[in-house]
Amino acid sequence: MYFDTHAHYYDDAFDADRDAVLSSLPETGVELVLCPGCDLETSRQSIALAERYPHLYAAVGFHPENLEGASPAELAQIESMAAHPKVKAIGEIGLDYYWEKEEAGRARQRAFFAAQLDLAEKLDMPAIVHDREAHRDTLDIVKAHHGARGVFHCYSGGVEDARTLVILGWMLSFTGVITFKNARRALEVLEWLPLDRVMIETDAPYMAPEPYRGKRNDSRYVFRMADAIAQVKGLSTDEVARITTENGKRFFGIT
């Protein structure tokens, strides 16, 4: 059984068949799914989905690409939503310098990220971190929050940053990117990374793994990440599925 630790099922890519996909997951071997919010509305939608499907859990927060019109005062609403019993993390939060080129916008991202890590510390909840082309600043903010714990989703850094995060007690999660032919860097990280720090995810509906690349992604493809990790670690896919599911349950506090 698999735990897809990051999938956006409120996305309009699922409007036509959302219930069919989510209802079918347990019979396809997907035991659990974590659906992170990206702003107030999608955080509410994640909670609503978690209320409807027993195998789905939610996270709440502001994604760095979703800050337009957002106010720091709205973090009080995130805190309120985080009290819901099926909310297991603050996320998806972090930095994205790929899309944001202006320093003023990047500074705003950093401020929101730091404030949301403050909230995660206050609530003693894990954080789900997005880091795209902002490795140094993301890591610096994480290191400044000594009481924070979390996961770097869709990990894209190198081995040295991975070593730092492991020392800090953080987890790393991997998407279908590790099945791509040009995935050398991620595979090098996985060769070194202790298995108790590994989680797997689809980031659905994005980044479908090979041989489904280019299609809409969903949790039924999460087995491909386990396949890829099994090859790197010299284990069976079933062993990787079991270990990463246990890791995800422990990390999110799901019993």
Side-chain angles (χ1 to χ4, degrees):
M1 299 294 280
Y2 298 92
F3 187 171
D4 181 358
T5 60
H6 197 109
H8 300 275
Y9 278 109
Y10 47 75
D11 192 277
D12 58 13
F14 293 104
D15 283 354
D17 61 350
R18 182 176 292 106
D19 181 65
V21 170
L22 288 173
S23 296
S24 72
L25 292 181
E27 64 193 44
T28 66
V30 179
E31 179 182 358
L32 295 165
V33 178
L34 194 290
C35 183
C38 289
D39 53 26
L40 292 179
E41 181 55 30
T42 55
S43 293
R44 293 188 189 101
Q45 290 171 350
S46 294
I47 293 172
L49 289 169
E51 289 175 335
R52 182 171 181 180
Y53 300 95
H55 53 283
L56 194 148
Y57 290 82
V60 294
F62 280 96
H63 189 288
E65 293 177 41
N66 293 65
L67 298 181
E68 185 175 353
S71 162
E74 291 176 321
L75 293 181
Q77 295 182 58
I78 295 294
E79 180 173 359
S80 178
M81 285 188 275
H84 191 285
K86 292 205 75 177
V87 172
K88 296 299 182 180
I90 302 300
E92 175 179 355
I93 66 176
L95 303 178
D96 193 312
Y97 290 175
Y98 179 81
W99 294 110
E100 181 57 74
K101 306 300 184 185
E102 300 297 325
E103 176 52 32
R106 291 181 174 185
R108 189 160 186 262
Q109 287 189 12
R110 291 192 294 271
F112 257 87
F113 180 32
Q116 291 183 99
L117 279 182
D118 288 343
L119 178 60
E121 286 181 310
K122 174 184 176 181
L123 300 177
D124 191 24
M125 297 181 76
I128 301 170
V129 172
H130 172 104
D131 166 23
R132 190 175 188 191
E133 298 192 6
H135 299 323
R136 293 275 64 77
D137 285 352
T138 306
L139 199 54
D140 285 348
I141 292 171
V142 164
K143 288 191 290 188
H145 287 77
H146 304 290
R149 54 194 171 91
V151 58
F152 271 57
H153 111 89
C154 188
Y155 183 71
S156 59
V159 173
E160 287 309 308
D161 284 351
R163 290 183 194 276
T164 299
L165 288 166
V166 166
I167 290 169
L168 293 172
W170 283 57
M171 305 285 287
L172 306 182
S173 185
F174 296 87
T175 64
V177 169
I178 63 174
T179 70
F180 299 168
K181 290 181 179 179
N182 63 347
R184 181 182 57 82
R185 191 183 196 194
L187 296 180
E188 287 176 352
V189 171
L190 280 165
E191 286 175 1
W192 170 82
L193 187 64
L195 262 176
D196 65 352
R197 298 304 181 88
V198 178
M199 298 196 298
I200 56 177
E201 59 171 285
T202 57
D203 201 17
Y206 315 109
M207 291 193 293
E210 296 288 2
Y212 312 104
R213 191 174 184 179
K215 298 182 178 180
R216 184 194 71 176
N217 200 6
D218 69 53
S219 300
R220 291 172 292 187
Y221 298 153
V222 74
F223 75 95
R224 288 291 297 120
M225 287 54 115
D227 285 343
I229 294 170
Q231 291 179 21
V232 171
K233 293 294 193 182
L235 299 171
S236 70
T237 298
D238 285 348
E239 286 177 297
V240 172
R242 176 184 60 79
I243 292 167
T244 55
T245 296
E246 289 174 354
N247 292 347
K249 287 180 175 180
R250 183 176 64 252
F251 175 76
F252 289 114
I254 297 171
T255 56

